């Protein structure tokens, strides 16, 4: 791999981190644009008959993104109270949701906070273990690192983006 | 990063290739399990009212995965005839679709073929440019490599998996 690093002038580990972070940013930006384009009424609708509402998925994505803070060693969750209604419980559980305008704000806030931490994370830190794997397991499975969490959460965002896009009126 | 490689015994470039390939495999396996669980009738349905049918998305994912062969330098497409009905055209365009049983076979065939090539690709090859970027652009943007194609296509698979899951009857 030294050839690659020498040719491009970018160490290969930095290159890979850039690729993973770019993919994360791309999906977050798409979600933010979609949330901004949808009215409160559109977000209140089901993404398909009997399927999750836009509000539930917004709350779910806020809660899961918030959970990345402790998982990646970036600090405590900002909104631990969202875990129960949007992760532990299914949509329509009867759990009370915050007003959608609040959830919209939380989405931007948590993503901005996470982006700040992401920008300050060194290559060595990305390849260190995340908080939900033991040191013993990590020694055997070194791919269970912080960057892997980011890759998997990017796919989680894409999965729900594919559903949320159904809230947009079809041209 | 040498500390990481020394600690784990796995060179860091091999580690992140494994992470990207694992993520690809995970999404492909989920899609395959879902396709296998759905009947032909279920696949013929719309994923949501007025949205893509399961058959269209199956054909779309076959065609896009097939397109990765030339893009990654693995050879020619197996089914170039799927580009028009499933990539260039929207669902309901009137384009003729192959029988769903054929598309099911193509899905497994193209994924098995791609997996074989993926397993045989060296770290240096993953960080080489893909076929749709010029040498000049690649010199300036070395992240536009083959591994980046795999990462982006993994998210594309996740996006449509989120939609295809709506074909499963809700428990």
């Amino acid at each position: 791999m030294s050839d690659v690093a020498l040719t491009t002038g970018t160490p290969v580990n930095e290159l890979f981190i850039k690729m993973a972070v770019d993919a994360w940013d791309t999906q977050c930006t798409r979600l933010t644009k979609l949330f901004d384009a949808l009215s409160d009424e559109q977000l209140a609708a089901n993404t398909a008959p009997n399927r999750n509402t836009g509000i539930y998925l917004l709350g779910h994505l806020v809660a899961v993104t918030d959970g990345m803070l402790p998982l990646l060693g970036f600090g405590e969750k900002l909104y631990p109270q969202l875990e129960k209604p949007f992760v532990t419980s299914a949509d329509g559980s009867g759990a009370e949701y915050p007003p959608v305008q609040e959830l919209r704000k939380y989405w931007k806030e948590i993503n901005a906070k996470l982006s700040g931490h992401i920008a300050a994370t060194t290559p060595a830190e990305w390849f260190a273990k995340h908080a939900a794997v033991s040191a013993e397991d990590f020694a055997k499975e070194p791919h269970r690192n912080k960057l892997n969490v980011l890759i998997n959460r990017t796919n989680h965002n894409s999965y729900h983006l594919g559903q949320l896009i159904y809230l947009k009126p079809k041209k």
Side-chain angles (χ1 to χ4, degrees), chain A:
Chain A
M1 291 309 299
S2 55
D3 287 348
V4 176
L6 286 172
T7 307
T8 63
T10 308
V12 77
N13 55 352
E14 288 180 24
L15 202 57
F16 184 75
I17 291 162
K18 176 180 167 49
M19 287 154 58
V21 172
D22 279 359
W24 168 260
D25 287 343
T26 296
Q27 300 307 319
C28 287
T29 301
R30 284 183 188 164
L31 281 164
T32 300
K33 277 189 187 163
L34 180 58
F35 289 138
D36 285 350
L38 294 170
S39 68
D40 291 354
E41 291 67 33
Q42 287 171 321
L43 271 177
N46 294 87
T47 50
N50 296 313
R51 303 293 173 167
N52 290 328
T53 58
I55 291 177
Y56 178 83
L57 288 179
L58 170 56
H60 176 70
L61 292 174
V62 171
V64 170
T65 306
D66 198 23
M68 291 169 71
L69 292 176
L71 197 55
L72 299 178
F74 295 157
E76 295 302 307
K77 286 185 192 178
L78 301 185
Y79 302 106
Q81 71 275 20
L82 300 183
E83 175 86 11
K84 188 155 186 288
F86 295 117
V87 180
T88 318
S89 311
D91 199 5
S93 65
E96 208 176 318
Y97 297 165
V100 63
Q101 289 296 343
E102 290 297 302
L103 289 173
R104 289 176 183 277
K105 271 190 264 177
Y106 297 169
W107 169 255
K108 293 195 178 177
E109 184 189 7
I110 185 65
N111 276 290
K113 192 171 176 71
L114 197 64
S115 287
H117 285 292
I118 285 172
T121 301
T122 65
E125 285 167 343
W126 278 122
F127 285 91
K129 81 176 196 67
H130 60 72
V133 62
S134 70
E136 193 184 357
D137 286 347
F138 185 64
K140 288 178 285 189
E141 301 176 304
H143 62 279
R144 297 175 68 183
N145 52 49
K146 294 181 184 185
L147 197 60
N148 207 37
V149 170
L150 192 74
I151 292 171
N152 292 332
R153 290 297 185 279
T154 303
N155 279 288
H156 180 253
N157 278 353
S158 299
Y159 179 93
H160 290 303
L161 175 61
Q163 299 170 337
L164 284 159
I165 203 82
Y166 284 173
L167 294 173
K168 265 186 108 168
K170 216 180 168 187
K171 281 171 202 160

